[in-house]
Amino acid sequence: MAIKDTPEEWTVTGTTTPFTGAKTSVRTDRVVMPDGSTATRDYQVHPGSVAVLALDDADRVLVLRQYRHPVRQKLWEIPAGLLDVPGENPLHAAQRELYEEAHVKAGDWRVLTDVYTTPGGCDEAVRIFLARGLSEAEGERFEVSEEEADMELARVPVDELARGVLAGELHNNCLVVGVLSLIAARAGDGLSALRPADAPWPARPFTV
């Protein structure tokens, strides 16, 4: 049997949106269960995100440390951001985030992995890219504000990040998934076997 996620949609008999925020909202669906009963499911509606595992020639990953209010912690993360425009090419969004958060550009892009961050309570889909061939971006640095104004940047060896993940010291979803996926890709068919940067993404279809 092939182990593969498959599309499926159960019947929804009613939907309300009790909360609408600046970027996300909360939806309540009445869903028909397999036995014919109905159950209420509340979940966050999210536009989707991209993240970038930027790997330099010294086998270090570009990471940033940022305050995250919901968990009351400063987390080490990889550059990431929302898909601000419906149908936006995720590669373009990833390139923008790498520039804005780190003032870095990359010459080689691949899709590392695609994930749903919390599928039991949110429909957020994230595409994590592997970016290599790093260099300083031209022009002025992007002006940051709010939490990003307090952001720290660092370049950390892959092995050190993997140790921190397994020791329970690093918790950001995209960093954890990205680092472990990189190690798995190297141990498997190699980085050259990763999907191209413009690979289809059914969770968030885009136009080239």
Side-chain angles (χ1 to χ4, degrees), residues 22-101:
K23 298 291 185 180
T24 67
S25 61
V26 173
R27 181 176 296 166
T28 299
D29 287 346
R30 293 285 297 172
V31 185
V32 179
M33 299 290 111
D35 64 0
S37 65
T38 59
T40 299
R41 293 291 178 263
D42 302 317
Y43 59 99
Q44 183 184 22
V45 178
H46 195 285
S49 306
V50 292
V52 185
L53 193 142
L55 186 67
D56 69 15
D57 293 338
D59 208 40
R60 299 175 304 175
V61 175
L62 194 157
V63 292
L64 50 93
R65 189 170 181 239
Q66 187 171 346
Y67 176 67
R68 293 302 187 183
H69 186 70
V71 296
R72 307 304 199 270
Q73 290 194 31
K74 273 193 170 182
L75 301 181
W76 285 103
E77 308 179 349
I78 57 177
L82 298 175
L83 290 170
D84 292 324
V85 181
E88 180 179 18
N89 188 316
L91 174 60
H92 298 164
Q95 291 169 332
R96 180 183 68 241
E97 293 301 329
L98 186 60
Y99 163 73
E100 290 182 357
E101 295 191 348

Side-chain angles (χ1 to χ4, degrees), residues 9-180:
E9 187 168 353
W10 293 1
T11 300
V12 175
T13 61
T15 297
T16 60
T17 305
F19 171 79
T20 299
K23 298 291 185 180
T24 67
S25 61
V26 173
R27 181 176 296 166
T28 299
D29 287 346
R30 293 285 297 172
V31 185
V32 179
M33 299 290 111
D35 64 0
S37 65
T38 59
T40 299
R41 293 291 178 263
D42 302 317
Y43 59 99
Q44 183 184 22
V45 178
H46 195 285
S49 306
V50 292
V52 185
L53 193 142
L55 186 67
D56 69 15
D57 293 338
D59 208 40
R60 299 175 304 175
V61 175
L62 194 157
V63 292
L64 50 93
R65 189 170 181 239
Q66 187 171 346
Y67 176 67
R68 293 302 187 183
H69 186 70
V71 296
R72 307 304 199 270
Q73 290 194 31
K74 273 193 170 182
L75 301 181
W76 285 103
E77 308 179 349
I78 57 177
L82 298 175
L83 290 170
D84 292 324
V85 181
E88 180 179 18
N89 188 316
L91 174 60
H92 298 164
Q95 291 169 332
R96 180 183 68 241
E97 293 301 329
L98 186 60
Y99 163 73
E100 290 182 357
E101 295 191 348
H103 200 67
V104 165
K105 62 181 180 179
D108 183 82
W109 291 82
R110 299 264 181 168
V111 174
L112 190 53
T113 191
D114 300 323
V115 295
Y116 292 114
T117 54
T118 50
C122 180
D123 70 352
E124 181 183 15
V126 181
R127 169 156 283 188
I128 304 176
F129 289 90
L130 173 65
R132 293 177 291 173
L134 307 184
S135 60
E136 192 79 4
E138 296 89 358
E140 297 182 1
R141 286 187 172 272
F142 182 78
E143 186 175 345
V144 295
S145 61
E146 299 177 342
E147 289 93 342
E148 292 183 353
D150 189 48
M151 201 161 54
E152 305 170 47
L153 292 174
R155 296 193 183 202
V156 181
V158 173
D159 290 347
E160 185 175 337
L161 292 174
R163 182 207 60 78
V165 167
L166 298 179
E169 299 169 354
L170 299 171
H171 307 91
N172 175 262
N173 181 287
C174 291
L175 184 148
V176 171
V177 172
V179 168
L180 298 186

